[in-house]
Amino acid sequence: MAALAEFGHELWAGDEGGAGQACVRCSLLRPDPAQRARLAEIRDNLIARITEAEQEGWLGEIEGLQVSLASAEEKLAQLDAEQVRQRQVVDLGMPRFSQIATRISTARGPSS
C-alpha cells in the first residue's frame, strides 16, 4: 500500500474503491461504529508490527508504531464509550394531555 499526503494527514491508497483510509493518529478522525472491526484489525496489526520491530531491532520504528497503537486503542475506547452512552438513553415519554392541561390551568390561577 502506498501512503499519500493530504492536508498534512496520512492516507493509505489501495483500499476497496480507492477511497483511502485516514491515518489512525489523526485527532480529527471520528471512526464510524460500523468500522470497529476494521479498527480492531488495525490495532492487532500494529501489535504484530511492534513485536516484529523489536525482534529485528528496528528501534526507530517502534516509537512510531507505539504512537499509532495508542491512537487506535483510544479510538476503540471512544467507540465503546459511545455505545454505552447510547444504551443509557432514557425515554422520557410524552406527557398526557390531562397533565399538560392541569399545569396550564394552575399556572394561570382560578378563573373568575
Side-chain angles (χ1 to χ4, degrees):
M1 287 187 200
L4 306 171
E6 182 175 302
F7 305 113
H9 301 287
E10 195 174 337
L11 294 175
W12 294 95
D15 290 341
E16 292 178 359
Q21 169 187 318
C23 177
V24 73
R25 290 186 190 184
C26 179
S27 62
L28 300 175
L29 175 67
R30 297 278 187 221
D32 179 1
Q35 296 299 316
R36 189 188 188 293
R38 175 69 177 124
L39 191 54
E41 182 182 324
I42 290 169
R43 180 209 46 212
D44 295 344
N45 181 270
L46 286 166
I47 292 169
R49 290 174 58 196
I50 289 170
T51 301
E52 179 185 12
E54 289 171 343
Q55 290 171 350
E56 297 295 329
W58 300 332
L59 302 179
E61 290 290 312
I62 295 171
E63 185 177 352
L65 291 170
Q66 288 173 335
V67 170
S68 294
L69 176 60
S71 296
E73 288 174 338
E74 182 181 340
K75 301 280 189 262
L76 286 168
Q78 288 172 0
L79 286 174
D80 293 342
E82 180 64 27
Q83 284 182 341
V84 168
R85 278 192 300 274
Q86 287 179 352
R87 279 186 248 141
Q88 293 176 344
V89 173
V90 176
D91 180 20
L92 299 177
M94 293 292 293
R96 293 186 312 267
F97 178 75
S98 60
Q99 292 172 321
I100 296 170
T102 304
R103 289 183 194 153
I104 293 172
S105 64
T106 57
R108 292 184 183 164
S111 56
S112 12

